[in-house]
Amino acid sequence: MTSICIFLGSNPGADPVYARAARDMGRELAVNGLTCVYGGSDTGLMKLLADSALEAGGRVVGVTVQALRDKEIFHPGLTELHVVTTMNERKALMTELSDGFVALPGGVGTFEEFFEIYTLSLLGFHSKPFGLLNINNYYAPLDALLDHAEREGFLKAPHRNAILRADTPADMVKLMMDR
Ligand code: AMP
């Protein structure tokens, strides 16, 4: 495992605990020699992740879309920034460049990116590990929805259990590196 893709909010979140987790994750990747792949933005938790990884001497690779230039301000100091044309190309390149995937708290963009990786794994399109970092119990409602889907017969138990989970960035990075 040499690179991990992090999905997380382009907003900072309401509680400072989210900012702390984004910064801890950036540093954790860097000190373990892992390249951080992310969406390339200079906003919200995304910026904090990238800044922290760079400050700790890590490699940070951004993958973004030209049309988002105004909305998501591209980070100016990344090791590499790939600017593609469509959101689908963005996800495909992030997937190709990464050996594993972790979602921190975020909004619908984060959910979308995480669920694409989840579904592609269930369908056998990749076999890379992916996990949810449950900072501040942020993903408890998502767990409740997945439990509901399993109970109602729309999600098989092995598929329900395919998601790695941890409460701290250090634990999540360790889980990924042990795979
Ligand atoms: P959010 O969690 O909504 O703050 O968004 C986090 C990141 O996900 C941002 O960089 C968004 O541009 C990105 N994003 C949102 N929707 C999509 C999508 N359909 N495909 C790929 N990335 C997306």
Side-chain angles (χ1 to χ4, degrees), residues 96-162:
E96 185 188 318
L97 293 174
S98 310
D99 301 321
F101 308 86
V102 177
L104 268 70
V108 289
T110 301
F111 303 158
E112 202 275 343
E113 291 170 318
F114 177 76
F115 270 102
E116 169 148 318
I117 289 298
Y118 189 10
T119 55
L120 290 180
S121 168
L122 300 191
L123 295 170
F125 284 93
H126 73 84
S127 53
K128 299 174 181 180
F130 53 95
L132 284 175
L133 189 60
N134 194 30
I135 299 299
N136 209 22
N137 226 10
Y138 182 73
Y139 281 115
L142 180 60
D143 276 330
L145 179 60
L146 293 173
D147 288 341
H148 177 64
E150 187 186 342
R151 267 195 315 272
E152 295 300 313
F154 291 107
L155 180 61
K156 296 187 176 77
H159 291 175
R160 171 72 186 88
N161 297 324

Side-chain angles (χ1 to χ4, degrees), residues 30-152:
V31 300
N32 283 287
L34 294 164
T35 295
C36 171
V37 177
Y38 87 116
S41 288
D42 202 29
T43 64
L45 296 187
M46 296 172 77
K47 171 186 175 52
L48 297 174
L49 169 84
D51 286 348
S52 166
L54 291 166
E55 277 161 32
R59 291 187 78 245
V60 183
V61 175
V63 183
T64 189
V65 175
Q66 186 62 37
L68 292 178
R69 184 171 281 280
D70 295 332
K71 225 174 276 161
E72 291 199 359
I73 312 164
F74 301 166
H75 195 298
L78 302 178
T79 317
E80 279 172 30
L81 179 68
H82 299 271
V83 184
V84 298
T85 310
T86 68
M87 297 299 259
N88 281 340
E89 283 176 63
R90 181 191 210 185
K91 282 181 296 188
L93 185 56
M94 287 169 115
T95 306
E96 185 188 318
L97 293 174
S98 310
D99 301 321
F101 308 86
V102 177
L104 268 70
V108 289
T110 301
F111 303 158
E112 202 275 343
E113 291 170 318
F114 177 76
F115 270 102
E116 169 148 318
I117 289 298
Y118 189 10
T119 55
L120 290 180
S121 168
L122 300 191
L123 295 170
F125 284 93
H126 73 84
S127 53
K128 299 174 181 180
F130 53 95
L132 284 175
L133 189 60
N134 194 30
I135 299 299
N136 209 22
N137 226 10
Y138 182 73
Y139 281 115
L142 180 60
D143 276 330
L145 179 60
L146 293 173
D147 288 341
H148 177 64
E150 187 186 342
R151 267 195 315 272
E152 295 300 313

